[in-house]
Amino acid sequence: MSRRIFEPLVTARVAVAVALVLLGPSSAKAQDKEDDDAEMTFETDEASEQPSTDEPAPPDEGDTGDLGGDDLGLDLDAGTGSKAAKAAAKEEKLGESRVSWQDIVVVVRKPFLKVHRVELLPTYGVTMNDNIIQHHMFGGSINYFLTDVLAVGVEGQYFVKNLREPFDLVARQARRLPTVNKYKYGASVNFHYVPIYGKFAVLDEHIVHWESFFTLGVGFTQTEVIPRDPALLPFDNFLITPNVGMAMRFFITKFITVHVGIRDYVFLDKFESTDRTAPSPPDQARNEADSSLVNNVMFQAGVSFWFPTSFEYTTFR
């Protein structure tokens, strides 16, 4: 080799040696980092080739490579377990995000069903349109719902009279005693129809469900004439009484509701004749009585108890 070629080679080698001495620590660190990255890449590639199952396949003991069988087995188990956990979490999240058309409720179910249930309704009522004599009514009804909007029932009533102030004022001022009858008791068969249903919020916290229904029925009312002369005998009247009304029902629990409404009981009553001055038998006084159409409009309120006390839906939402 000639001298001209040897001298540049020696000079280049010296320059490389000096550079390695000056950059030694940095080069060593870079070399170590590259080695670590290579090892991590190898482990990741090896783990990705394993099947993603809950129980990973055992590693091949015969071929462990330069890393060693124990180290490789631990790395594979950890990588497979992590993959399986991620896959399970992803599947669970996807399951929560899936929405079926059966889960979409367009119309919310009614919170109270009445079909094939019996309503036991104690009721209090008071006369609204008679300023001479007032009647307090204590009664009750039993209703059976054929469907959720149609019902049939029976009603019973007992009346307590209350002579109001104008009764005495007319006697003192006009020198005439008013002709009045008192109601004793009554009963009827009624039909109910529920066309209106709604709800409202109380203080934006509680939802109260209600419904409005109409009632139509027929029965009888027993009245008794109050004689103007206490020495005369009273007589009774048995009167056919149709009734019509409207009421509202508020749902409190699954078996308790509150009921308020107005009912008009219509009957043709017989009053003591103004010509009756001498004592006469009740039958004769009844035949001589004056007839008048009466609208006994009453405000009613009560609390209903439902049996069975619970219900179940048997149709789709």
Side-chain angles (χ1 to χ4, degrees):
M1 180 180 299
S2 65
R3 184 176 179 180
R4 292 181 180 178
I5 299 174
F6 178 74
E7 287 180 357
L9 290 175
V10 172
T11 304
R13 289 181 180 180
V14 171
V16 170
V18 173
L20 290 175
V21 171
L22 295 176
L23 302 176
S26 300
S27 301
K29 291 181 180 179
Q31 185 66 26
D32 294 339
K33 184 176 181 182
E34 292 176 0
D35 295 340
D36 294 338
D37 294 339
E39 291 178 3
M40 292 176 62
T41 304
F42 174 76
E43 292 174 2
T44 305
D45 294 340
E46 288 291 329
S48 63
E49 293 177 0
Q50 297 296 328
S52 177
T53 58
D54 295 339
E55 297 181 1
D60 188 3
E61 298 179 357
D63 185 13
T64 59
D66 296 335
L67 297 177
D70 296 337
D71 295 339
L72 183 58
L74 292 174
D75 292 340
L76 289 175
D77 291 343
T80 305
S82 177
K83 288 256 182 207
K86 291 180 179 179
K90 185 176 181 181
E91 186 67 22
E92 182 179 356
K93 185 177 292 185
L94 289 175
E96 292 178 355
S97 63
R98 294 193 185 101
V99 178
S100 173
W101 67 269
Q102 294 180 349
D103 298 326
I104 301 176
V105 181
V106 179
V107 179
V108 180
R109 282 176 169 176
K110 295 173 63 176
F112 195 99
L113 291 183
K114 304 181 294 296
V115 58
H116 301 322
R117 299 179 72 186
V118 176
E119 178 190 22
L120 180 61
L121 175 60
T123 307
Y124 165 78
V126 61
T127 303
M128 299 179 61
N129 61 331
D130 195 333
N131 62 345
I132 298 295
I133 184 171
Q134 186 181 61
H135 289 88
H136 299 274
M137 185 270 292
F138 301 92
S141 60
I142 300 177
N143 303 313
Y144 177 74
F145 278 78
L146 305 172
T147 69
D148 209 51
V149 297
L150 293 175
V152 59
V154 294
E155 177 185 12
Q157 304 164 333
Y158 177 76
F159 297 94
V160 177
K161 70 177 178 67
N162 175 35
L163 294 175
R164 310 185 73 173
E165 185 177 6
F167 181 85
D168 296 328
L169 291 177
V170 171
R172 289 196 299 265
Q173 295 177 0
R175 303 289 181 176
R176 295 176 63 88
L177 288 174
T179 301
V180 296
N181 292 356
K182 68 176 183 179
Y183 309 149
K184 300 175 67 175
Y185 53 84
S188 63
V189 176
N190 301 320
F191 298 90
H192 309 278
Y193 173 59
V194 186
I196 303 173
Y197 174 84
K199 59 185 177 181
F200 61 88
V202 179
L203 301 178
D204 292 334
E205 294 184 359
H206 304 285
I207 302 297
V208 178
H209 297 262
W210 62 273
E211 65 183 13
S212 182
F213 60 95
F214 297 97
T215 300
L216 181 65
V218 62
F220 71 91
T221 301
Q222 186 81 25
T223 67
E224 181 181 295
V225 171
I226 300 177
R228 291 183 294 271
D229 185 352
L232 302 179
L233 296 177
F235 59 89
D236 296 336
N237 300 309
F238 184 86
L239 310 171
I240 301 299
T241 307
N243 70 84
V244 61
M246 180 178 181
M248 297 180 65
R249 181 182 291 114
F250 300 90
F251 301 99
I252 308 301
T253 67
K254 288 186 176 181
F255 63 95
I256 296 179
T257 59
V258 175
H259 161 268
V260 292
I262 296 176
R263 191 85 64 86
D264 184 10
Y265 298 88
V266 183
F267 47 85
L268 189 63
D269 203 0
K270 293 183 177 181
F271 294 88
E272 185 180 37
S273 174
T274 56
D275 298 332
R276 188 186 183 192
T277 56
S280 59
D283 293 339
Q284 180 181 351
R286 186 182 300 107
N287 294 332
E288 296 174 353
D290 299 325
S291 298
S292 179
L293 184 66
V294 176
N295 290 85
N296 181 27
V297 180
M298 304 197 73
F299 170 79
Q300 297 179 348
V303 178
S304 299
F305 300 93
W306 297 79
F307 301 95
T309 57
S310 62
F311 54 86
E312 294 181 0
Y313 282 90
T314 57
T315 58
F316 296 104
R317 284 189 292 181

